[in-house]
Amino acid sequence: MAYPIPPAVPTPTAAFDRLLTVLNTLREACPWDRKQTMESLRLLTIEEMYELGDAILEADLPEVKKELGDLMMHLVFYARIAEEQKAFDIVDVLNGVCDKLISRHPHIYSDVQVENENDVKQNWEKLKLKEGNQSVLSGVPKGLPALVKAYRIQDKVRGVGFDWKDPAEVWKKVEEEIAEFKAEFDLNTHTTIDTDRAEAEFGDVLFSLINYARHLGINPENALERTNKKFIKRFTHVEKRTLESGRQLQDMSLEEMDVYWKEAKKM
């Protein structure tokens, strides 16, 4: 049996209702959609988040629109599964987030005064603690990639005033951590004195660099991913030029490959 196709609509409310109608139909009629659980959707949702992140870094707005739609579908799907379990529904989800936003913006919906963005962040963290959070850091997901987690940890504690005021002091900490890391190596032979200690010190270097980037307004995850993409493009050029020359990378010296690398940098 063919189900009626809900037509495209011009308003946000009607468009959201159209999504609910389509998702509910698929949940009832499609074998794949019927089989899905929150657990089975979890990794797919994470993949969609990374795809959205890629589209944002590429400034590909048509792709951003597409990925936002995919994520919206996932959110509605989770709510539908929860509704089947009589836990909550999409109305509860939407009202819940609205209530949270209203309560955490007393400078908008009440008479609290703020001077700047930092005041807003500090109020946000204080309100979270009043709502029952055991720690300022309790909202940092355990499964975040380490680099992103470090940034979020630092940003969270900043919200309650645990932060340097002067970026110069942060850079001193970076230099201090680099010196401690170097002390774990024989700089002549580049051999590790104690791998565990060296790894710990290297972690401190990264954490302090992330902190300094944050003070400069640089998102370290975005910065590193841009560098990843840049490296991939340049190395792909090296591979292409090597093949054009009739050779294989493993047969070339680093100096020879560097000629093509410099070509890629100019491009």
Side-chain angles (χ1 to χ4, degrees):
M1 138 181 187
Y3 285 76
I5 299 175
V9 288
T11 66
T13 302
F16 192 74
D17 187 63
R18 184 185 186 217
L19 174 60
L20 292 174
T21 299
V22 170
L23 194 283
N24 288 336
T25 298
L26 295 179
R27 182 64 172 173
E28 294 168 4
C30 173
W32 186 89
D33 288 278
R34 277 201 308 267
K35 187 178 179 181
Q36 298 315 303
T37 65
M38 289 191 183
E39 290 76 15
S40 69
L41 288 173
R42 175 178 170 271
L43 291 179
L44 297 176
T45 306
I46 293 172
E47 183 179 327
E48 295 294 352
M49 279 298 306
Y50 278 111
E51 290 176 357
L52 173 62
D54 285 344
I56 291 171
L57 286 179
E58 295 289 342
D60 186 343
L61 292 183
E63 191 66 15
V64 169
K65 180 181 74 171
K66 171 181 170 294
E67 297 304 337
L68 285 174
D70 290 343
L71 273 178
M72 194 81 69
M73 180 271 292
H74 277 239
L75 301 181
V76 170
F77 209 153
Y78 287 118
R80 168 60 194 250
I81 294 171
E83 183 178 2
E84 294 169 0
Q85 298 172 355
K86 302 191 183 322
F88 57 83
D89 61 20
I90 192 65
V91 175
D92 297 323
V93 172
L94 296 175
N95 281 329
V97 72
C98 287
D99 290 342
K100 180 172 73 174
L101 289 172
I102 291 168
S103 69
R104 293 189 186 173
H105 288 78
H107 55 289
I108 303 296
Y109 296 102
S110 186
D111 56 1
V112 172
Q113 300 296 313
V114 295
E115 295 293 330
N116 51 42
E117 173 198 0
N118 287 336
D119 287 353
V120 174
K121 282 191 172 184
Q122 289 183 11
N123 281 342
W124 182 280
E125 296 301 337
K126 290 175 183 175
L127 287 166
K128 286 181 69 175
L129 291 174
K130 286 182 180 179
E131 290 168 5
N133 284 32
Q134 298 299 310
S135 167
V136 170
L137 299 177
S138 61
V140 180
K142 295 178 182 178
L144 279 180
L147 191 149
V148 179
K149 185 187 291 186
Y151 183 85
R152 291 296 294 140
I153 288 170
Q154 294 167 5
D155 197 46
K156 287 281 188 182
V157 299
R158 175 194 179 199
V160 292
F162 191 79
D163 198 12
W164 275 289
K165 301 297 183 184
D166 184 0
E169 293 299 315
V170 186
W171 184 250
K172 286 182 183 178
K173 186 65 177 174
V174 173
E175 293 179 322
E176 175 188 322
E177 298 295 354
I178 290 174
E180 291 178 2
F181 175 57
K182 288 173 66 177
E184 296 299 325
F185 287 83
D186 182 330
L187 296 181
N188 294 317
T189 62
H190 303 287
T191 56
T192 306
I193 296 173
D194 185 316
T195 302
D196 288 338
R197 285 172 53 120
E199 182 178 280
E201 295 297 346
F202 184 65
D204 291 345
V205 171
L206 290 177
F207 195 85
S208 60
L209 278 171
I210 291 167
N211 202 17
Y212 188 66
R214 183 177 57 82
H215 275 265
L216 297 183
I218 295 171
N219 185 302
E221 172 71 16
N222 291 347
L224 183 57
E225 182 58 16
R226 288 179 187 278
T227 296
N228 289 339
K229 289 179 180 293
K230 180 170 60 178
F231 184 93
I232 289 169
K233 288 179 180 178
R234 290 177 180 175
F235 191 77
T236 301
H237 175 79
V238 172
E239 290 178 312
K240 178 173 177 289
R241 293 286 282 118
T242 300
L243 288 174
E244 289 174 350
S245 71
R247 303 177 68 186
Q248 299 293 322
L249 281 175
Q250 56 266 34
D251 299 327
M252 297 180 66
S253 68
L254 182 59
E255 290 74 18
E256 290 173 318
M257 287 188 278
D258 193 51
V259 173
Y260 296 146
W261 180 267
K262 289 176 179 176
E263 283 183 3
K265 287 182 69 174
K266 292 178 181 179
M267 293 170 60

